[in-house]
Amino acid sequence: MFARMRQSLIKSSIRRFGAQPESQSMKAKLWGKDGEKVNGWEPYVYTSYILAGIILVVGVGFKPDTSIKTWANNEARARKALKQSGLVTEFKFGAHYNDIDKKFSFQVDEIDEMPESNYEQKFQRFNTSLHNRKL
């Protein structure tokens, strides 16, 4: 009885210095197998990845510079230009001079009356032409 237990202990405690089994992911090729059929969804996914990457690069590349240093630099340039042109002699504290309204002089023309249109006549003609058509 003890001999059997001893023998089973010896068998179970023997170490086998073999390698671990190789995983299936290590056997896979990076871009698939040669001559493998392309799935129907793959071109759409790859195209959308490329387009999303282009949109991100363009979007980040053309984003506006909103740092405080850029704003202060533009404000100082606007004040300097206004002072040199003589439009403003004293600047108010807290007033922004780099606005579109200050840069450009827009004129608003008033509209007296709306021009008359013959919309009703055109609609009546169109409506009657639809009803007169033979289907």
Side-chain angles (χ1 to χ4, degrees), residues 74-87:
N74 291 337
E75 186 72 21
R77 285 183 187 163
R79 289 182 184 206
K80 183 178 179 182
L82 286 172
K83 192 172 188 179
Q84 287 177 349
S85 68
L87 294 174

Side-chain angles (χ1 to χ4, degrees), residues 13 20 23 37 42 53 59-60 64 68 78 87-88 109 112 124:
S13 65
Q20 292 288 330
S23 66
K37 186 178 177 184
E42 288 177 341
V60 170
I68 189 71
L87 294 174
V88 179
D109 293 335
D112 296 334
Q124 288 296 331

